[in-house]
Amino acid sequence: MEEDDANHRPSPSYSYGGGGFLSGLCAAALRRKPLSAHAAHAASGEGLVRQLGVFDLVLLGIGASIGAGIFVITGTVARDAGPAGVTISFVLAGAACVLNALCYAELASRFPAVVGGAYLYTYAAFNELTAFLVFTQLMLDYHIGAASIARSLASYFIQFLELIPFLKGHIPTWIGHGEEFFGGVVSVNILAPVLLIILTAILCYGVKESSAVNTFMTTLKIVIVIVVVFAGVFEVDVSNWSPFMPNGFKAVVTGATVVFFAYVGFDAVANSAEEAKKPQRDLPIGILGSLLVCVILYVAVCLVITGMVPYTLLGEDAPLAEAFAAKGLKFVTVLISIGAVAGLTTTLLVGLYVQSRLYLGLGRDGLLPSIFAKIHPTRHTPLHSQIWVGCVAAVLAGLFNVHELSHILSVGTLTGYSVVSACVITLRWNDKATSRHHSLGSMSIWQEGVLCLVIIALCGFVAGLCYRFSYATAFMVIAFLIAVVAGFALQFRQVYADPPGFSCPGVPIVPVVSVFFNMLLFAQLHEEAWYRFVILSLLAVGVYAGYGQYHAVPPSSDHSAVAYHGVPSEAP
């Protein structure tokens, strides 16, 4: 059987002797990780407990994806794209996310035993250093995002308290809204760290308990959104949907790049692999099911609010609440506020959960200190990892106005999505069949395939730059055509094996389109986000060179018989 052959492909072995620091660094950086080392943790009782069903996983994905964005971002995009344009923007962004979700679903089905998500898949498909770089980019997004959400949640909580007459105007700003000191360098917020400590304690107590909290809050959020939609349907005036796209299709595409990030979060399901009851079946359902629910809710909300109020009158801070207030439905605005708080709470809870599982994976692999790999014997949670991520978020949220760093976010998300899509392609390559093709010069067929993926990513970035800065359309067309040629090379120069479990359709075309579009979006980010990507990558290489390469658990002959599915051989 070809799959059995793939499972028994030997992991590459490297020598550290006689080559000096650089050769040792390169040898370590190119290692790939077999599954047996992770599986041993679960077998020895050191793993997490499988207690999340398919319903829990779907709600986990929804809880991570739908936050305050559903109550805020719709108005911002509607003012630019128009009433129908904002709906199309959400549909386009949802379709693009489906491509990423299909890739995540396949890999979650193929690696159902352990936590790690994008980091784990990269370690299997490419190498140790690339996996560490993906982790660092994702982690900065998670840390800043958690602190930012905590401050928003604190601000909403204070607004609720100020509904009580004798408290209105008497709560100091440093408690929940944030008060700046030292010229704005420090922005003190007391309530945000308190909320983070509470959620961290829930996560430390047990995944069953934290899942119950997420289930309750997410269900409440979904019910409120449905009630809001049905209440708004009776106030819709179809004349408000005209003009259809007042600013043209380009504004719709730009809107899609903005709302794309309203869908991110389904990767949280992939990071719960070690705690899913039936991971090979339930993880793909959780990923795709949660994304489908999010698309439906977003589109329904867009249609309702743009039908209730002319798009030019929608506010940018609280469009849903303002739309219902304009119609005299003040009781619905209270529900919307409750829904926003529930949305922020679940997004923050799931974000902290995902971070701890990523740290757990790196602690097990030796790329971070082993304390991150410890699991509480009775709570069955990664206690030290969970406390660490809670403390980092609490410090950031308590002392800094991290909202101002929002323009450097999403780098890790797009990086992770792009690499995961590329992993689907590389892990499908059938080395034995592919070896019949002639390599180009000294380059192996596997290396040729990786080069094609890099070219596609670069072409997507160039096309995005051309679109962003309105360069000549010819440059965008040339970049697109080069990507098409590289895609044809992947299609006809490589041979693909069918994976076990869920299979992403249209490989390599679907993952190629996903990589191209993700990099096109990457080009739309603020320039400071690009600087952040480069600087953080250099720092990550330094940390890896000084610590990771020496402490990482290397692949050994004992583990090589249980290697990841489809790890390419090193032979040309």
Side-chain angles (χ1 to χ4, degrees):
M1 295 287 291
E2 283 186 350
E3 189 58 49
D4 291 333
D5 292 335
N7 289 340
H8 291 80
R9 290 172 188 159
S11 298
S13 59
Y14 302 100
S15 172
Y16 286 83
F21 173 78
L22 284 179
S23 63
L25 175 61
C26 291
L30 293 175
R31 291 181 299 206
R32 300 187 184 97
K33 190 71 174 178
L35 260 179
S36 56
H38 297 288
H41 288 283
S44 63
E46 298 175 23
L48 303 170
V49 177
R50 298 193 178 278
Q51 41 192 339
L52 297 179
V54 64
F55 183 69
D56 300 312
L57 294 173
V58 171
L59 290 181
L60 189 72
I62 297 172
S65 299
I66 295 185
I70 197 169
F71 306 104
V72 177
I73 199 171
T74 47
T76 303
V77 178
R79 290 173 70 91
D80 295 329
V86 64
T87 305
I88 298 173
S89 293
F90 271 99
V91 172
L92 288 176
C97 279
V98 166
L99 301 180
N100 291 295
L102 288 170
C103 295
Y104 262 100
E106 174 173 319
L107 295 180
S109 177
R110 294 184 69 170
F111 305 114
V114 287
V115 296
Y119 155 78
L120 170 69
Y121 310 147
T122 308
Y123 213 157
F126 293 105
N127 53 62
E128 191 168 281
L129 178 58
T130 305
F132 189 70
L133 291 173
V134 168
F135 164 79
T136 54
Q137 295 291 347
L138 282 171
M139 201 46 58
L140 186 59
D141 270 11
Y142 279 126
H143 283 320
I144 296 176
S148 179
I149 293 170
R151 287 181 78 102
S152 295
L153 184 58
S155 181
Y156 267 104
F157 191 79
I158 293 300
Q159 289 177 26
F160 268 119
L161 292 180
E162 288 182 338
L163 293 175
I164 303 173
F166 69 87
L167 289 178
K168 186 173 180 61
H170 293 88
I171 300 177
T173 56
W174 52 266
I175 291 183
H177 294 298
E179 184 170 342
E180 295 185 349
F181 297 91
F182 308 111
V185 175
V186 174
S187 177
V188 174
N189 187 313
I190 299 299
L191 184 57
V194 172
L195 295 173
L196 282 163
I197 290 170
I198 294 173
L199 292 178
T200 299
I202 293 172
L203 288 164
C204 288
Y205 192 75
V207 68
K208 189 174 182 180
E209 291 74 14
S210 57
S211 176
V213 173
N214 179 69
T215 298
F216 171 75
M217 298 295 280
T218 302
T219 303
L220 175 64
K221 173 173 57 179
I222 293 173
V223 170
I224 288 175
V225 171
I226 292 174
V227 170
V228 166
V229 168
F230 274 99
V233 163
F234 297 101
E235 302 293 335
V236 166
D237 181 356
V238 293
S239 65
N240 289 328
W241 289 334
S242 179
F244 191 72
M245 288 187 290
N247 299 319
F249 189 70
K250 184 174 182 179
V252 175
V253 175
T254 302
T257 64
V258 174
V259 303
F260 177 87
F261 303 105
Y263 289 106
V264 300
F266 55 80
D267 55 321
V269 181
N271 282 284
S272 64
E274 201 170 315
E275 291 159 292
K277 292 178 180 177
K278 298 179 180 179
Q280 206 155 20
R281 184 201 69 177
D282 293 349
L283 290 176
I285 296 175
I287 291 170
L288 296 172
S290 61
L291 180 58
L292 179 62
V293 172
C294 291
V295 171
I296 294 172
L297 292 179
Y298 277 131
V299 170
V301 168
C302 288
L303 289 173
V304 166
I305 66 166
T306 54
M308 290 177 64
V309 179
Y311 75 96
T312 54
L313 301 180
L314 282 174
E316 295 189 6
D317 295 327
L320 260 184
E322 292 174 15
F324 280 92
K327 294 291 184 179
L329 301 172
K330 296 238 176 131
F331 74 95
V332 180
T333 63
V334 176
L335 285 179
I336 291 171
S337 298
I338 296 173
V341 170
L344 286 169
T345 303
T346 56
T347 303
L348 185 56
L349 184 75
V350 176
L352 294 172
Y353 166 87
V354 171
Q355 290 178 62
S356 67
R357 271 55 182 177
L358 283 171
Y359 273 103
L360 170 64
L362 270 84
R364 285 174 172 176
D365 291 336
L367 293 171
L368 290 177
S370 59
I371 190 171
F372 290 111
K374 294 185 181 297
I375 295 177
H376 194 276
T378 57
R379 295 287 99 202
H380 301 290
T381 57
L383 203 62
H384 298 91
S385 295
Q386 198 67 72
I387 292 173
W388 165 256
V389 299
C391 288
V392 171
V395 170
L396 289 175
L399 298 178
F400 303 102
N401 185 6
V402 286
H403 292 308
E404 296 182 0
L405 298 178
S406 60
H407 54 271
I408 69 167
L409 289 177
S410 302
V411 173
T413 301
L414 286 173
T415 301
Y417 284 4
S418 300
V419 174
V420 166
S421 298
C423 288
V424 169
I425 296 176
T426 59
L427 292 174
R428 286 273 202 108
W429 288 337
N430 185 321
D431 292 343
K432 291 184 177 181
T434 302
S435 64
R436 294 196 293 266
H437 291 170
H438 295 292
S439 57
L440 300 176
S442 60
M443 184 182 297
S444 70
I445 293 294
W446 190 85
Q447 292 168 335
E448 177 191 326
V450 172
L451 178 61
C452 288
L453 288 170
V454 172
I455 290 173
I456 290 167
L458 290 176
C459 287
F461 184 70
V462 170
L465 290 179
C466 294
Y467 173 81
R468 175 177 178 175
F469 296 109
S470 299
Y471 294 151
T473 307
F475 293 119
M476 188 185 300
V477 172
I478 290 172
F480 177 75
L481 291 177
I482 294 174
V484 170
V485 171
F488 273 114
L490 288 174
Q491 176 71 53
F492 298 109
R493 293 278 296 170
Q494 304 287 343
V495 179
Y496 296 88
D498 292 329
F502 178 85
S503 175
C504 173
V507 173
I509 303 303
V510 167
V512 162
V513 173
S514 178
V515 171
F516 186 88
F517 187 76
N518 289 336
M519 294 309 296
L520 188 145
L521 289 178
F522 193 99
Q524 312 307 311
L525 298 177
H526 196 282
E527 285 111 346
E528 289 184 19
W530 304 341
Y531 302 149
R532 166 227 148 146
F533 176 81
V534 174
I535 294 171
L536 184 60
S537 295
L538 292 175
L539 290 174
V541 171
V543 172
Y544 177 80
Y547 181 88
Q549 67 163 322
Y550 301 113
H551 295 85
V553 180
S556 66
S557 57
D558 295 333
H559 295 158
S560 61
V562 200
Y564 286 127
H565 293 294
V567 174
S569 64
E570 294 297 304

